[in-house]
Amino acid sequence: NAGVTQTPKFRVLKTGQSMTLLCAQDMNHEYMYWYRQDPGMGLRLIHYSVGEGTTAKGEVPDGYNVSRLKKQNFLLGLESAAPSQTSVYFCASSYSTGRRQPQHFGDGTRLSIL
Amino acid sequence: QQQVKQSPQSLIVQKGGISIINCAYENTAFDYFPWYQQFPGKGPALLIAIRPDVSEKKEGRFTISFNKSAKQFSLHIMDSQPGDSATYFCAASIDNNQGGKLIFGQGTELSVKP
C-alpha cells in the first residue's frame, strides 16, 4: 500500500535549470493535484487533473506545466527554475466527487532554487 | 472571496488542555470544510470534516464547531497530548464537479508541552 509516492524527495537546482517532479498513485484515483507549501501561506493549488489526459490551472500556475498521460501518474514541470519556486511541493489524489472524498497526500518534494 | 483565514499561526498548550484553532471564510458557496493534520516531513492527512448543514461534529477528542451565519468554523482538541503536536490546516471547497479543489488556510503550528 504505497498510496501517493513523490520523486525525488529533495532537489537543488540552479536558476534557469529545468526539472520534472513525478507523482504516482496506486489507488485508482481519478483526481490528482499539485500544491506548493510555503511558510505562513498554507498549501496553494498549482494545477490539477480530473482524469487521464486532462489538466487545469489552479491558484498559482505560472512557471509550471503538468501532464497526466497515465491515470496513475501526474507530472509537474519547471521549465526555467526561479528562486521564487523554492518550496515544498505536495501531490495529492482523490476519488471523483459525488460524495466528498478525502485527498491523499504524498510526503512532498523539497526543492531549492539557487 | 476565495480565501480562508486561519488563526492563530502558532499555539502552545499544556498536556491535558484544550487547543482551539479558528478559521473564517467569505465565499458562501463553500459546502465542505475539512481539517488536515501534518507532521514534520510528512504530507497532510485528513483529520475530520464537516458540511454546513450541521453545527458540530465530534470524532474522539477532535470536534469541529461550525457557525454558518458568521462564516466561521473551528477545531477543538480536548485533552491535548504531546502526540497532537503538528501543523493543522483548515480548508474549504465547493462540490461543483470541477475537481473538488481545496482552499487551505495558512496553517497553525501546535505544540503540546508535557
Side-chain angles (χ1 to χ4, degrees), chain A residues 13-18 80-83 112-114:
Chain A
L13 288 179
K14 294 181 179 179
T15 298
Q17 287 184 319
S18 63
S80 179
S112 293
I113 315 295
L114 303 179

Side-chain angles (χ1 to χ4, degrees), chain B residues 1-71:
Chain B
Q1 200 180 23
Q2 286 291 88
Q3 286 186 334
V4 176
K5 295 183 178 181
Q6 182 173 346
S7 63
Q9 187 174 359
S10 63
L11 181 62
I12 299 174
V13 174
Q14 292 295 318
K15 179 182 176 181
I18 303 173
S19 303
I20 302 174
I21 304 171
N22 301 300
C23 287
Y25 63 97
E26 289 295 325
N27 190 345
T28 56
F30 287 142
D31 64 354
Y32 176 66
F33 301 89
W35 285 87
Y36 280 78
Q37 179 188 54
Q38 183 183 29
F39 293 105
K42 298 294 185 180
L46 180 66
L47 182 64
I48 186 173
I50 196 168
R51 298 187 71 97
D53 52 347
V54 298
S55 60
E56 184 176 283
K57 183 174 181 180
K58 184 176 181 179
E59 291 185 1
R61 297 183 293 108
F62 300 90
T63 300
I64 300 178
S65 297
F66 187 84
N67 186 330
K68 189 174 182 178
S69 61
K71 293 184 287 186

Side-chain angles (χ1 to χ4, degrees), chain A residues 31 33 35 37 40-43 45 48 50 57 59 90 97-98 100-103 105-107 110, chain B residues 9 31-32 36 38 41-44 46 51 89 93-95 97-102 104-106:
Chain A
Y31 291 3
Y33 314 83
Y35 295 90
Q37 182 177 11
M41 303 188 75
L43 292 100
L45 183 65
Y48 66 101
V50 299
K57 294 180 179 180
E59 181 184 356
F90 286 97
T97 56
R100 283 300 178 181
Q101 299 291 338
Q103 292 187 17
F105 284 80
D107 286 338
R110 285 146 187 81
Chain B
Q9 187 174 359
D31 64 354
Y32 176 66
Y36 280 78
Q38 183 183 29
K42 298 294 185 180
L46 180 66
R51 298 187 71 97
F89 293 96
S93 73
I94 305 170
D95 189 4
N97 293 323
Q98 292 184 13
K101 294 177 291 182
L102 290 173
F104 283 89
Q106 294 79 11

